[in-house]
Amino acid sequence: MRDPVAVAEDGGMPILIQPDDLAARIAAGERTVVLDVRWSLAAPDGTEAYRAGHVPGAVYVDLDRELADHDAVGEGRHPLPAEADFTAAMRRWGLRDGDTVVVMDDLGNQSAARAWWLLRHAGFGDVRLLDGALAGWRTAGHALETGDVVPERGDTTARFGAMPVIGIDEVAEVAGRGVLIDARAAERYRGEIEPIDPRAGHIPRAMSAPSGDDLDAAGRFRSPEALRERFAALGVQVGDPVAAYCGSGVTAAHAVASLAIAGIDAALYPGSWSQWSNDPSRPAATGPDSR
């Protein structure tokens, strides 16, 4: 049977919510803020897709403008936003302290996980990913709403520090003492292609674990047991340091969520390959597993 809530082994807040459970909350009038994070490299502006059909009441979140700070220099393509800027975004979304927040996208939650991670990092307790994302909502037979949703302004405040973060100088240490996960596509990890960043390859000693492989054929997260087996095969052991990176820190948040479902705490390297590869003093490895 599928785990309906997927909580971390430490008994923390649920990480996932199933479409039927979200629909029931909405129907019962339970206060729930739904955030729609439509974004991809091919279509970074998901506004029109959102307006064409979204979960009823969902507020559109602009990943590039609200979940990143492009004024930060030398920190990669999607640096973390400043506390004050993220506070303004959360208030625009209508968030109040104590709310249940559900985030989703149309990409298996690989972009929505950035919002999940930032909200957790900001101290928000009850933040859940809609398992199966928009496709799961549709498959479950639930209706969509069109147009824009403009909520009443919220009053919550971001207080960063609740999630572990590492910088460029700590990455190599994690790769040497524990497990550093590269969540990009395997061909980018191996250095066979690099469509965006200045150098191909990966951080030495990192392990390839494409974020899409954490999902089943329906785009839902694999079970906690299956995810534990996946990460154990990469050498993840309880107590060892674990961190994740990707191209620019977006899908790496999805890897952190997958690890959390498996009961494993992991740090995020927000600068990711986009920061590392822009520093010529940092080595790059190519080919398969370099450990």
Side-chain angles (χ1 to χ4, degrees):
M1 178 180 287
R2 185 169 183 77
D3 185 338
V5 292
V7 296
E9 286 189 341
D10 64 1
M13 294 299 295
I15 297 166
L16 304 178
I17 187 170
Q18 300 304 315
D20 287 348
D21 294 329
L22 174 58
R25 287 185 64 90
I26 293 172
E30 295 182 68
R31 180 159 174 83
T32 308
V33 178
V34 182
L35 303 179
D36 188 316
V37 194
R38 307 279 183 100
W39 178 90
S40 69
L41 287 173
D45 186 350
T47 309
E48 291 309 312
Y50 159 82
R51 288 173 178 160
H54 54 79
V55 172
V59 178
Y60 177 68
V61 173
D62 189 318
L63 186 147
D64 276 324
R65 292 183 174 87
E66 296 180 302
L67 305 184
D69 179 5
H70 294 288
D71 290 332
V73 178
E75 296 183 24
R77 278 182 282 111
H78 286 104
L80 298 182
E83 266 188 359
D85 293 336
F86 194 62
T87 292
M90 290 194 299
R91 292 179 179 181
R92 184 189 76 77
W93 305 334
L95 268 62
R96 305 173 194 163
D97 291 341
D99 282 346
T100 291
V101 184
V102 176
V103 297
M104 47 77 61
D105 57 28
D106 59 356
L107 195 65
N109 285 310
Q110 293 186 85
S111 57
R114 173 77 168 209
W116 170 85
W117 187 92
L118 274 167
L119 286 163
R120 287 283 178 94
H121 187 47
F124 230 84
D126 193 4
V127 188
R128 313 186 199 185
L129 291 156
L130 178 61
D131 202 15
L134 186 64
W137 179 264
R138 286 170 166 157
T139 299
H142 300 300
L144 297 178
E145 179 180 73
T146 59
D148 286 310
V149 173
V150 181
E152 180 180 346
R153 187 171 178 80
D155 60 5
T156 195
T157 299
R159 296 176 178 86
F160 287 163
M163 296 289 276
V165 183
I166 61 172
I168 193 169
D169 292 328
E170 301 165 278
V171 174
E173 181 182 355
V174 172
R177 294 196 301 114
V179 178
L180 177 62
I181 287 173
D182 185 319
R184 298 173 300 160
E187 58 269 27
R188 286 186 71 191
Y189 169 88
R190 293 191 297 265
E192 296 166 5
I193 62 168
E194 182 44 67
I196 308 167
D197 295 314
R199 286 189 290 162
H202 58 268
I203 296 173
R205 298 180 64 84
M207 301 295 289
S208 179
S211 59
D213 291 350
D214 296 334
L215 305 173
D216 65 16
R220 300 175 303 178
F221 282 92
R222 298 187 184 277
S223 70
E225 294 77 16
L227 289 169
R228 276 193 286 272
E229 289 179 8
R230 168 170 165 75
F231 295 122
L234 296 173
V236 175
Q237 298 182 19
V238 176
D240 285 348
V242 181
Y245 77 96
C246 58
S248 65
V250 174
T251 55
H254 189 274
V256 172
S258 298
L259 285 154
I261 291 169
I264 301 162
D265 292 331
L268 179 75
Y269 170 32
S272 287
W273 187 246
S274 59
Q275 181 186 36
W276 183 277
S277 63
N278 269 285
D279 184 344
S281 72
R282 310 284 173 172
T286 57
D289 178 10
S290 61
R291 295 192 70 163

Short mmCIF file of all heavy atoms in Angstrom, two decimals, residues 173-233:
data_model
loop_
_atom_site.label_atom_id
_atom_site.label_comp_id
_atom_site.label_asym_id
_atom_site.label_seq_id
_atom_site.Cartn_x
_atom_site.Cartn_y
_atom_site.Cartn_z
N GLU A 173 34.48 18.62 0.85
CA GLU A 173 34.58 17.91 2.12
C GLU A 173 33.46 16.90 2.26
O GLU A 173 33.68 15.76 2.70
CB GLU A 173 34.55 18.91 3.28
CG GLU A 173 34.67 18.24 4.63
CD GLU A 173 34.58 19.24 5.78
OE1 GLU A 173 34.52 20.46 5.51
OE2 GLU A 173 34.56 18.80 6.93
N VAL A 174 32.23 17.29 1.88
CA VAL A 174 31.11 16.36 1.95
C VAL A 174 31.36 15.18 1.01
O VAL A 174 31.14 14.02 1.37
CB VAL A 174 29.79 17.06 1.59
CG1 VAL A 174 28.66 16.03 1.46
CG2 VAL A 174 29.43 18.10 2.63
N ALA A 175 31.84 15.46 -0.19
CA ALA A 175 32.10 14.39 -1.15
C ALA A 175 33.17 13.43 -0.64
O ALA A 175 33.14 12.23 -0.95
CB ALA A 175 32.53 14.99 -2.49
N GLY A 176 34.09 13.93 0.16
CA GLY A 176 35.16 13.07 0.67
C GLY A 176 34.77 12.27 1.89
O GLY A 176 35.20 11.12 2.06
N ARG A 177 33.92 12.86 2.76
CA ARG A 177 33.59 12.20 4.03
C ARG A 177 32.25 11.48 4.00
O ARG A 177 32.00 10.59 4.80
CB ARG A 177 33.56 13.23 5.16
CG ARG A 177 34.90 13.86 5.47
CD ARG A 177 34.86 14.56 6.82
NE ARG A 177 33.84 15.60 6.88
CZ ARG A 177 32.77 15.55 7.66
NH1 ARG A 177 32.53 14.49 8.42
NH2 ARG A 177 31.90 16.55 7.67
N GLY A 178 31.36 11.88 3.08
CA GLY A 178 30.03 11.30 3.03
C GLY A 178 29.61 11.05 1.60
O GLY A 178 30.35 10.45 0.83
N VAL A 179 28.41 11.52 1.24
CA VAL A 179 27.90 11.33 -0.11
C VAL A 179 27.38 12.65 -0.65
O VAL A 179 26.53 13.31 -0.03
CB VAL A 179 26.77 10.28 -0.15
CG1 VAL A 179 26.24 10.13 -1.57
CG2 VAL A 179 27.28 8.93 0.37
N LEU A 180 27.91 13.05 -1.80
CA LEU A 180 27.45 14.23 -2.51
C LEU A 180 26.67 13.75 -3.72
O LEU A 180 27.22 13.05 -4.59
CB LEU A 180 28.64 15.10 -2.94
CG LEU A 180 28.30 16.34 -3.77
CD1 LEU A 180 27.43 17.31 -2.97
CD2 LEU A 180 29.58 17.03 -4.25
N ILE A 181 25.39 14.11 -3.79
CA ILE A 181 24.50 13.62 -4.85
C ILE A 181 24.36 14.68 -5.93
O ILE A 181 24.08 15.85 -5.65
CB ILE A 181 23.13 13.25 -4.26
CG1 ILE A 181 23.27 11.95 -3.45
CG2 ILE A 181 22.06 13.13 -5.33
CD1 ILE A 181 22.04 11.57 -2.70
N ASP A 182 24.55 14.26 -7.18
CA ASP A 182 24.35 15.10 -8.36
C ASP A 182 23.00 14.73 -8.95
O ASP A 182 22.82 13.63 -9.47
CB ASP A 182 25.48 14.86 -9.36
CG ASP A 182 25.42 15.80 -10.56
OD1 ASP A 182 24.31 16.05 -11.07
OD2 ASP A 182 26.50 16.23 -11.02
N ALA A 183 22.03 15.64 -8.88
CA ALA A 183 20.65 15.34 -9.28
C ALA A 183 20.37 15.62 -10.75
O ALA A 183 19.23 15.47 -11.20
CB ALA A 183 19.68 16.13 -8.41
N ARG A 184 21.38 16.00 -11.53
CA ARG A 184 21.18 16.28 -12.96
C ARG A 184 21.01 14.98 -13.76
O ARG A 184 21.26 13.88 -13.25
CB ARG A 184 22.35 17.07 -13.52
CG ARG A 184 22.55 18.45 -12.89
CD ARG A 184 23.83 19.09 -13.39
NE ARG A 184 24.98 18.26 -13.07
CZ ARG A 184 26.16 18.34 -13.68
NH1 ARG A 184 26.35 19.21 -14.66
NH2 ARG A 184 27.16 17.56 -13.31
N ALA A 185 20.65 15.14 -15.01
CA ALA A 185 20.58 13.99 -15.91
C ALA A 185 21.95 13.33 -15.98
O ALA A 185 22.99 14.00 -15.91
CB ALA A 185 20.13 14.43 -17.30
N ALA A 186 21.96 12.01 -16.15
CA ALA A 186 23.21 11.25 -16.11
C ALA A 186 24.20 11.69 -17.18
O ALA A 186 25.41 11.71 -16.95
CB ALA A 186 22.91 9.76 -16.25
N GLU A 187 23.71 12.06 -18.37
CA GLU A 187 24.63 12.46 -19.44
C GLU A 187 25.32 13.78 -19.13
O GLU A 187 26.45 14.01 -19.56
CB GLU A 187 23.91 12.53 -20.79
CG GLU A 187 22.72 13.46 -20.85
CD GLU A 187 21.42 12.76 -20.51
OE1 GLU A 187 21.43 11.76 -19.76
OE2 GLU A 187 20.36 13.25 -20.99
N ARG A 188 24.66 14.65 -18.36
CA ARG A 188 25.32 15.88 -17.94
C ARG A 188 26.36 15.57 -16.87
O ARG A 188 27.45 16.14 -16.87
CB ARG A 188 24.30 16.90 -17.41
CG ARG A 188 23.47 17.55 -18.50
CD ARG A 188 22.59 18.65 -17.94
NE ARG A 188 23.35 19.82 -17.53
CZ ARG A 188 22.86 20.84 -16.83
NH1 ARG A 188 21.59 20.80 -16.43
NH2 ARG A 188 23.62 21.86 -16.50
N TYR A 189 26.01 14.70 -15.94
CA TYR A 189 26.97 14.27 -14.92
C TYR A 189 28.23 13.71 -15.57
O TYR A 189 29.36 14.05 -15.17
CB TYR A 189 26.31 13.22 -14.03
CG TYR A 189 27.26 12.49 -13.10
CD1 TYR A 189 27.55 12.99 -11.83
CD2 TYR A 189 27.86 11.28 -13.49
CE1 TYR A 189 28.41 12.31 -10.97
CE2 TYR A 189 28.72 10.61 -12.64
CZ TYR A 189 29.00 11.12 -11.39
OH TYR A 189 29.86 10.45 -10.55
N ARG A 190 28.05 12.86 -16.57
CA ARG A 190 29.21 12.22 -17.22
C ARG A 190 29.99 13.20 -18.09
O ARG A 190 31.11 12.90 -18.52
CB ARG A 190 28.74 11.03 -18.07
CG ARG A 190 28.18 9.88 -17.24
CD ARG A 190 27.98 8.64 -18.09
NE ARG A 190 27.01 8.84 -19.16
CZ ARG A 190 25.72 8.52 -19.08
NH1 ARG A 190 25.24 7.98 -17.95
NH2 ARG A 190 24.91 8.72 -20.10
N GLY A 191 29.42 14.36 -18.37
CA GLY A 191 30.10 15.35 -19.19
C GLY A 191 29.92 15.14 -20.68
O GLY A 191 30.64 15.74 -21.48
N GLU A 192 28.95 14.32 -21.07
CA GLU A 192 28.72 14.07 -22.48
C GLU A 192 28.06 15.26 -23.16
O GLU A 192 28.28 15.50 -24.35
CB GLU A 192 27.85 12.82 -22.65
CG GLU A 192 28.53 11.55 -22.15
CD GLU A 192 27.56 10.40 -21.99
OE1 GLU A 192 26.36 10.56 -22.35
OE2 GLU A 192 27.98 9.33 -21.50
N ILE A 193 27.25 15.99 -22.41
CA ILE A 193 26.62 17.22 -22.90
C ILE A 193 26.65 18.25 -21.79
O ILE A 193 26.70 17.90 -20.61
CB ILE A 193 25.17 17.00 -23.36
CG1 ILE A 193 24.30 16.52 -22.17
CG2 ILE A 193 25.08 16.01 -24.52
CD1 ILE A 193 22.81 16.55 -22.45
N GLU A 194 26.62 19.51 -22.15
CA GLU A 194 26.45 20.58 -21.19
C GLU A 194 25.81 21.75 -21.92
O GLU A 194 26.50 22.57 -22.53
CB GLU A 194 27.77 21.00 -20.54
CG GLU A 194 27.60 22.09 -19.49
CD GLU A 194 26.41 21.82 -18.57
OE1 GLU A 194 26.46 20.85 -17.80
OE2 GLU A 194 25.41 22.56 -18.66
N PRO A 195 24.48 21.84 -21.88
CA PRO A 195 23.77 22.85 -22.66
C PRO A 195 23.75 24.25 -22.07
O PRO A 195 23.35 25.19 -22.76
CB PRO A 195 22.35 22.27 -22.72
CG PRO A 195 22.22 21.49 -21.45
CD PRO A 195 23.58 20.91 -21.19
N ILE A 196 24.18 24.40 -20.81
CA ILE A 196 23.97 25.69 -20.14
C ILE A 196 25.25 26.25 -19.53
O ILE A 196 25.60 27.42 -19.76
CB ILE A 196 22.91 25.55 -19.02
CG1 ILE A 196 21.64 24.91 -19.57
CG2 ILE A 196 22.61 26.90 -18.38
CD1 ILE A 196 20.69 24.45 -18.50
N ASP A 197 25.94 25.45 -18.76
CA ASP A 197 27.06 25.95 -17.97
C ASP A 197 28.37 25.90 -18.75
O ASP A 197 28.48 25.21 -19.76
CB ASP A 197 27.14 25.15 -16.67
CG ASP A 197 25.92 25.40 -15.79
OD1 ASP A 197 25.55 26.57 -15.64
OD2 ASP A 197 25.33 24.42 -15.28
N PRO A 198 29.41 26.63 -18.30
CA PRO A 198 30.63 26.79 -19.10
C PRO A 198 31.50 25.56 -19.23
O PRO A 198 32.30 25.46 -20.16
CB PRO A 198 31.38 27.91 -18.38
CG PRO A 198 30.86 27.91 -16.99
CD PRO A 198 29.43 27.52 -17.11
N ARG A 199 31.38 24.61 -18.29
CA ARG A 199 32.18 23.38 -18.36
C ARG A 199 31.29 22.17 -18.17
O ARG A 199 30.29 22.22 -17.45
CB ARG A 199 33.27 23.38 -17.29
CG ARG A 199 34.43 24.30 -17.57
CD ARG A 199 35.56 24.06 -16.56
NE ARG A 199 35.20 24.53 -15.23
CZ ARG A 199 35.82 24.15 -14.11
NH1 ARG A 199 36.81 23.25 -14.18
NH2 ARG A 199 35.49 24.65 -12.94
N ALA A 200 31.66 21.08 -18.81
CA ALA A 200 30.92 19.83 -18.65
C ALA A 200 31.55 18.99 -17.55
O ALA A 200 32.71 19.17 -17.19
CB ALA A 200 30.91 19.05 -19.96
N GLY A 201 30.77 18.06 -17.01
CA GLY A 201 31.28 17.14 -15.99
C GLY A 201 30.57 17.31 -14.67
O GLY A 201 29.43 17.79 -14.60
N HIS A 202 31.27 16.90 -13.60
CA HIS A 202 30.66 16.95 -12.28
C HIS A 202 31.72 17.23 -11.22
O HIS A 202 32.92 17.18 -11.50
CB HIS A 202 29.94 15.64 -11.97
CG HIS A 202 30.82 14.41 -12.02
ND1 HIS A 202 30.97 13.66 -13.17
CD2 HIS A 202 31.59 13.80 -11.09
CE1 HIS A 202 31.79 12.65 -12.94
NE2 HIS A 202 32.19 12.71 -11.67
N ILE A 203 31.27 17.53 -10.02
CA ILE A 203 32.18 17.75 -8.90
C ILE A 203 32.84 16.41 -8.55
O ILE A 203 32.15 15.39 -8.43
CB ILE A 203 31.41 18.30 -7.69
CG1 ILE A 203 30.82 19.68 -8.03
CG2 ILE A 203 32.32 18.41 -6.46
CD1 ILE A 203 29.89 20.24 -6.96
N PRO A 204 34.15 16.37 -8.45
CA PRO A 204 34.83 15.10 -8.17
C PRO A 204 34.26 14.39 -6.94
O PRO A 204 33.98 15.02 -5.92
CB PRO A 204 36.29 15.53 -7.94
CG PRO A 204 36.44 16.76 -8.80
CD PRO A 204 35.12 17.47 -8.67
N ARG A 205 34.07 13.08 -7.08
CA ARG A 205 33.58 12.18 -6.05
C ARG A 205 32.08 12.27 -5.82
O ARG A 205 31.53 11.57 -4.95
CB ARG A 205 34.33 12.34 -4.72
CG ARG A 205 35.82 12.02 -4.81
CD ARG A 205 36.53 12.18 -3.46
NE ARG A 205 36.04 11.24 -2.48
CZ ARG A 205 36.46 9.97 -2.35
NH1 ARG A 205 37.38 9.49 -3.18
NH2 ARG A 205 35.97 9.18 -1.40
N ALA A 206 31.39 13.12 -6.59
CA ALA A 206 29.93 13.16 -6.50
C ALA A 206 29.34 11.89 -7.13
O ALA A 206 29.95 11.27 -8.00
CB ALA A 206 29.37 14.39 -7.21
N MET A 207 28.15 11.53 -6.68
CA MET A 207 27.45 10.36 -7.19
C MET A 207 26.26 10.79 -8.02
O MET A 207 25.51 11.69 -7.64
CB MET A 207 26.97 9.48 -6.02
CG MET A 207 28.08 8.99 -5.11
SD MET A 207 29.23 7.87 -5.93
CE MET A 207 28.19 6.42 -6.11
N SER A 208 26.08 10.17 -9.18
CA SER A 208 24.96 10.50 -10.06
C SER A 208 23.67 9.88 -9.55
O SER A 208 23.58 8.67 -9.33
CB SER A 208 25.25 10.00 -11.48
OG SER A 208 24.16 10.29 -12.34
N ALA A 209 22.65 10.73 -9.36
CA ALA A 209 21.33 10.27 -8.91
C ALA A 209 20.28 11.22 -9.50
O ALA A 209 19.76 12.10 -8.80
CB ALA A 209 21.24 10.24 -7.39
N PRO A 210 19.98 11.08 -10.79
CA PRO A 210 19.02 11.99 -11.43
C PRO A 210 17.71 12.08 -10.66
O PRO A 210 17.14 11.05 -10.25
CB PRO A 210 18.81 11.36 -12.81
CG PRO A 210 20.08 10.61 -13.08
CD PRO A 210 20.49 10.07 -11.74
N SER A 211 17.23 13.30 -10.45
CA SER A 211 16.03 13.49 -9.62
C SER A 211 14.81 12.78 -10.18
O SER A 211 13.95 12.33 -9.43
CB SER A 211 15.76 14.99 -9.44
OG SER A 211 15.56 15.61 -10.70
N GLY A 212 14.72 12.69 -11.50
CA GLY A 212 13.56 12.03 -12.10
C GLY A 212 13.46 10.56 -11.72
O GLY A 212 12.36 9.99 -11.73
N ASP A 213 14.58 9.94 -11.37
CA ASP A 213 14.56 8.52 -10.99
C ASP A 213 13.98 8.30 -9.59
O ASP A 213 13.79 7.15 -9.18
CB ASP A 213 15.98 7.94 -11.05
CG ASP A 213 16.49 7.84 -12.49
OD1 ASP A 213 15.68 8.04 -13.42
OD2 ASP A 213 17.69 7.58 -12.66
N ASP A 214 13.72 9.37 -8.86
CA ASP A 214 13.08 9.24 -7.55
C ASP A 214 11.56 9.12 -7.69
O ASP A 214 10.86 8.96 -6.69
CB ASP A 214 13.39 10.45 -6.67
CG ASP A 214 14.87 10.55 -6.34
OD1 ASP A 214 15.55 9.52 -6.34
OD2 ASP A 214 15.34 11.68 -6.09
N LEU A 215 11.07 9.20 -8.94
CA LEU A 215 9.64 9.15 -9.21
C LEU A 215 9.27 7.85 -9.93
O LEU A 215 10.11 7.26 -10.62
CB LEU A 215 9.23 10.34 -10.09
CG LEU A 215 9.59 11.74 -9.57
CD1 LEU A 215 9.27 12.79 -10.62
CD2 LEU A 215 8.86 12.04 -8.27
N ASP A 216 8.01 7.44 -9.76
CA ASP A 216 7.56 6.27 -10.50
C ASP A 216 7.01 6.70 -11.86
O ASP A 216 7.10 7.88 -12.24
CB ASP A 216 6.52 5.47 -9.69
CG ASP A 216 5.22 6.23 -9.44
OD1 ASP A 216 4.96 7.25 -10.11
OD2 ASP A 216 4.46 5.80 -8.55
N ALA A 217 6.45 5.75 -12.61
CA ALA A 217 5.99 6.04 -13.97
C ALA A 217 4.87 7.08 -14.00
O ALA A 217 4.65 7.75 -15.01
CB ALA A 217 5.53 4.75 -14.64
N ALA A 218 4.14 7.22 -12.88
CA ALA A 218 3.05 8.18 -12.80
C ALA A 218 3.50 9.54 -12.29
O ALA A 218 2.69 10.45 -12.12
CB ALA A 218 1.94 7.63 -11.90
N GLY A 219 4.81 9.70 -12.04
CA GLY A 219 5.33 10.96 -11.55
C GLY A 219 5.17 11.16 -10.05
O GLY A 219 5.33 12.28 -9.55
N ARG A 220 4.87 10.09 -9.31
CA ARG A 220 4.77 10.16 -7.85
C ARG A 220 6.10 9.73 -7.24
O ARG A 220 6.86 8.97 -7.83
CB ARG A 220 3.65 9.25 -7.35
CG ARG A 220 2.28 9.60 -7.89
CD ARG A 220 1.25 8.59 -7.45
NE ARG A 220 1.62 7.24 -7.85
CZ ARG A 220 0.92 6.16 -7.55
NH1 ARG A 220 -0.19 6.27 -6.83
NH2 ARG A 220 1.31 4.97 -7.95
N PHE A 221 6.37 10.20 -6.05
CA PHE A 221 7.58 9.78 -5.36
C PHE A 221 7.52 8.28 -5.09
O PHE A 221 6.46 7.74 -4.76
CB PHE A 221 7.75 10.53 -4.04
CG PHE A 221 8.26 11.93 -4.19
CD1 PHE A 221 7.37 12.99 -4.31
CD2 PHE A 221 9.63 12.19 -4.21
CE1 PHE A 221 7.85 14.29 -4.46
CE2 PHE A 221 10.11 13.49 -4.35
CZ PHE A 221 9.21 14.53 -4.48
N ARG A 222 8.65 7.62 -5.24
CA ARG A 222 8.72 6.22 -4.87
C ARG A 222 8.53 6.08 -3.36
O ARG A 222 8.64 7.06 -2.62
CB ARG A 222 10.07 5.63 -5.31
CG ARG A 222 10.29 5.68 -6.82
CD ARG A 222 11.55 4.94 -7.24
NE ARG A 222 11.78 5.09 -8.66
CZ ARG A 222 11.19 4.35 -9.61
NH1 ARG A 222 10.33 3.40 -9.24
NH2 ARG A 222 11.45 4.54 -10.89
N SER A 223 8.24 4.89 -2.92
CA SER A 223 7.97 4.66 -1.51
C SER A 223 9.22 4.96 -0.68
O SER A 223 10.35 4.91 -1.19
CB SER A 223 7.56 3.21 -1.28
OG SER A 223 8.66 2.34 -1.48
N PRO A 224 9.06 5.24 0.61
CA PRO A 224 10.23 5.45 1.46
C PRO A 224 11.21 4.28 1.41
O PRO A 224 12.43 4.49 1.38
CB PRO A 224 9.63 5.62 2.86
CG PRO A 224 8.26 6.18 2.61
CD PRO A 224 7.80 5.52 1.34
N GLU A 225 10.69 3.06 1.37
CA GLU A 225 11.56 1.89 1.32
C GLU A 225 12.37 1.86 0.03
O GLU A 225 13.58 1.58 0.05
CB GLU A 225 10.72 0.60 1.45
CG GLU A 225 10.03 0.45 2.80
CD GLU A 225 8.79 1.32 2.94
OE1 GLU A 225 8.28 1.83 1.91
OE2 GLU A 225 8.33 1.51 4.09
N ALA A 226 11.71 2.13 -1.09
CA ALA A 226 12.41 2.12 -2.38
C ALA A 226 13.47 3.22 -2.44
O ALA A 226 14.56 3.01 -2.98
CB ALA A 226 11.41 2.27 -3.52
N LEU A 227 13.15 4.37 -1.88
CA LEU A 227 14.11 5.47 -1.88
C LEU A 227 15.29 5.16 -0.97
O LEU A 227 16.44 5.46 -1.30
CB LEU A 227 13.44 6.78 -1.46
CG LEU A 227 12.47 7.36 -2.50
CD1 LEU A 227 11.65 8.50 -1.90
CD2 LEU A 227 13.22 7.84 -3.75
N ARG A 228 15.03 4.52 0.18
CA ARG A 228 16.13 4.14 1.05
C ARG A 228 17.08 3.17 0.34
O ARG A 228 18.30 3.28 0.45
CB ARG A 228 15.59 3.51 2.34
CG ARG A 228 15.19 4.52 3.40
CD ARG A 228 14.97 3.88 4.74
NE ARG A 228 13.73 3.13 4.78
CZ ARG A 228 12.55 3.65 5.11
NH1 ARG A 228 12.45 4.93 5.41
NH2 ARG A 228 11.47 2.89 5.15
N GLU A 229 16.51 2.23 -0.41
CA GLU A 229 17.34 1.28 -1.15
C GLU A 229 18.16 2.00 -2.22
O GLU A 229 19.34 1.70 -2.43
CB GLU A 229 16.47 0.22 -1.80
CG GLU A 229 15.85 -0.76 -0.81
CD GLU A 229 14.96 -1.78 -1.50
OE1 GLU A 229 14.95 -1.83 -2.75
OE2 GLU A 229 14.28 -2.55 -0.79
N ARG A 230 17.53 2.94 -2.90
CA ARG A 230 18.23 3.71 -3.95
C ARG A 230 19.43 4.45 -3.37
O ARG A 230 20.53 4.40 -3.91
CB ARG A 230 17.26 4.68 -4.61
CG ARG A 230 17.88 5.76 -5.51
CD ARG A 230 16.79 6.48 -6.27
NE ARG A 230 17.22 7.73 -6.87
CZ ARG A 230 17.97 7.83 -7.97
NH1 ARG A 230 18.43 6.74 -8.57
NH2 ARG A 230 18.28 9.02 -8.46
N PHE A 231 19.22 5.13 -2.26
CA PHE A 231 20.30 5.92 -1.70
C PHE A 231 21.35 5.05 -1.01
O PHE A 231 22.54 5.39 -1.01
CB PHE A 231 19.74 6.99 -0.77
CG PHE A 231 18.90 8.03 -1.49
CD1 PHE A 231 17.59 8.25 -1.14
CD2 PHE A 231 19.45 8.75 -2.54
CE1 PHE A 231 16.81 9.18 -1.83
CE2 PHE A 231 18.69 9.69 -3.23
CZ PHE A 231 17.37 9.91 -2.87
N ALA A 232 20.93 3.94 -0.44
CA ALA A 232 21.90 3.02 0.16
C ALA A 232 22.84 2.49 -0.91
O ALA A 232 24.05 2.30 -0.65
CB ALA A 232 21.18 1.87 0.86
N ALA A 233 22.32 2.25 -2.11
CA ALA A 233 23.16 1.76 -3.21
C ALA A 233 24.20 2.79 -3.63
O ALA A 233 25.23 2.43 -4.22
CB ALA A 233 22.28 1.38 -4.40
#
